[in-house]
Amino acid sequence: MKTTFYMVRHGQPDWGWAETMRFFGPCSAYMPLTPLGVEQIEHTACDPQLRGAAFILASPYTRTMQSAQILSRRLDLPVTVEWDLHLSLIHISEPT
């Protein structure tokens, strides 16, 4: 049986909000998406490859949860929050 994973990065976070709230270090987990970040995830939800997904697995960060909920609503998929999921910086280049 073949298993396929689709990795989707959250939309653009609102760093300005975090600075205004003086949320630094671990507190930056509470940073929400910007309006552009919401648009980015709405656009991502239109990707036909995601139609084959069975569920959405998200970390507990606010920006990730917001992104997951937008995808969930658009794709009619359940969201599972994995409280121990904390991804480090993963850089995947855009195809050229």
Side-chain angles (χ1 to χ4, degrees):
M1 183 171 139
K2 180 180 172 182
T3 301
T4 303
F5 292 90
Y6 301 99
M7 294 196 70
V8 175
R9 184 165 171 81
H10 57 75
Q12 180 185 61
D14 191 343
W15 290 101
W17 180 86
E19 288 175 12
T20 300
M21 298 299 291
R22 304 178 77 69
F23 283 180
F24 302 103
C27 290
S28 67
Y30 300 111
M31 192 173 11
L33 297 178
T34 62
L36 174 60
V38 171
E39 273 184 48
Q40 290 169 333
I41 295 299
E42 294 277 359
H43 177 75
T44 299
C46 295
D47 186 327
Q49 292 182 86
L50 298 179
R51 300 282 175 227
F55 66 95
I56 298 166
L57 179 65
S59 71
Y61 294 113
T62 301
R63 58 192 175 271
T64 307
M65 297 281 291
Q66 276 185 283
S67 298
Q69 290 301 319
I70 292 167
L71 290 171
S72 172
R73 187 176 63 248
R74 296 289 182 216
L75 300 170
D76 194 28
L77 292 172
V79 175
T80 299
V81 178
E82 179 53 57
W83 296 99
D84 292 326
L85 180 61
H86 302 281
L87 298 179
S88 298
L89 180 63
I90 298 174
H91 180 74
I92 301 173
S93 346
E94 293 287 325
T96 56

